[in-house]
Amino acid sequence: MVVGVAGHSGSGKTTFAKLLAHQMRGTLISQDDFYHGRDVMLAAGESAENFDSLAAIDYSLLASILDQVQHSNIHIVRVPNYDFIRQSRDGFKSVEVRDPIIVEGHLVFTSPEVTDHVDFLVYMDANREIARERRLSRDIRERGYSAIGSKVYYEKYVLPQLDSIEEIRIWADLIVDSNNTVDDTKLEIPGIVEILKSKFLDSAFENGSYE
């Protein structure tokens, strides 16, 4: 089973997906691992500044990996290891495949190539301003941006994508209010696990492995 977690950058997708993967003992795959990197984008004639475009992401590789785990009995997949500071891939890492596969990202679900593999889609519904402040804080804290640089980048590249990302909301199987704290999100996880159990009563659920 593949569970997608979509929403704006800064909507709480990664936190939610990590909590859900932990609770369900599943595998987490993040859009962040699938960026092409600056050199590859330049070689392809793309802007090496805009990482908030689907063109910046190797979504075909992600779709291929999802196809493998859904249609073959494999236990390990090789996923790119992306370095945000160097803006390039640093080899690959081996990820153990455990059901469910939880995929999170703010752009990949605008690609039918990826969404065709999703069995259940969760949309993290955060106010634009709250998501913006979270994104700016993260970019300064984790990705080497200055306070001014992060704001300029957001206005130039992130803001134009918001409408297309919000369109995903219509196709979501579940909408989660993600305007609150991490503790509030933690409280919602058990109920969401029960929803997924009711939707997908396979042998893994029945033998209690997600308890």
Side-chain angles (χ1 to χ4, degrees):
M1 172 173 65
V2 175
V3 178
V5 182
H8 289 314
S9 180
S11 64
K13 299 178 305 301
T14 303
T15 298
F16 175 87
K18 285 179 177 178
L19 290 168
L20 189 61
H22 176 75
Q23 182 72 25
M24 300 187 77
R25 302 173 191 172
T27 294
L28 176 61
I29 296 178
S30 174
Q31 167 189 292
D32 286 352
D33 291 322
F34 290 85
Y35 283 102
H36 288 295
R38 182 181 179 85
D39 291 345
V40 174
M41 291 167 67
L42 282 172
E46 300 289 344
S47 167
E49 294 181 354
N50 183 9
F51 290 88
D52 280 80
S53 161
L54 196 56
I57 299 166
D58 195 348
Y59 58 88
S60 291
L61 176 58
L62 173 56
S64 174
I65 289 173
L66 295 179
D67 188 67
Q68 288 178 53
V69 300
Q70 286 181 314
H71 299 109
S72 60
N73 188 28
I74 59 173
H75 303 289
I76 299 290
V77 291
R78 299 273 288 164
V79 172
N81 192 42
Y82 189 77
D83 185 327
F84 277 95
I85 301 300
R86 293 170 51 208
Q87 296 184 335
S88 65
R89 290 183 184 176
D90 183 16
F92 285 76
K93 57 189 175 184
S94 296
V95 176
E96 182 182 358
V97 177
R98 298 187 306 270
D99 193 47
I101 307 296
I102 297 165
V103 182
E104 66 91 10
H106 71 296
L107 295 170
V108 288
F109 300 108
T110 61
S111 163
E113 196 171 342
V114 173
T115 54
D116 283 350
H117 294 284
V118 175
D119 300 303
F120 190 92
L121 183 61
V122 178
Y123 184 85
M124 304 300 290
D125 195 18
N127 175 276
R128 285 190 177 191
E129 188 57 31
I130 290 174
R132 175 181 179 275
E133 291 306 311
R134 290 173 180 168
R135 166 71 184 250
L136 296 179
S137 176
R138 184 206 63 191
D139 282 354
I140 295 167
R141 185 178 65 251
E142 300 177 11
R143 300 188 178 175
Y145 284 86
S146 67
I148 293 175
S150 64
K151 289 178 181 178
V152 170
Y153 180 93
Y154 188 94
E155 296 298 320
K156 187 173 182 180
Y157 295 121
V158 181
L159 192 58
Q161 296 289 338
L162 298 187
D163 287 344
S164 62
I165 292 168
E166 286 177 357
E167 289 175 7
I168 301 169
R169 193 180 189 277
I170 324 171
W171 310 109
D173 297 289
L174 178 67
I175 296 171
V176 175
D177 182 346
S178 58
N179 290 301
N180 300 313
T181 66
V182 173
D183 286 339
D184 291 321
T185 301
K186 286 180 180 177
L187 292 175
E188 293 198 51
I189 294 294
I192 293 167
V193 170
E194 291 304 315
I195 290 171
L196 290 171
K197 284 183 179 182
S198 71
K199 294 283 184 182
F200 301 97
L201 290 174
D202 59 19
S203 59
F205 288 125
E206 291 167 354
N207 69 25
S209 64
Y210 291 157
E211 294 298 331

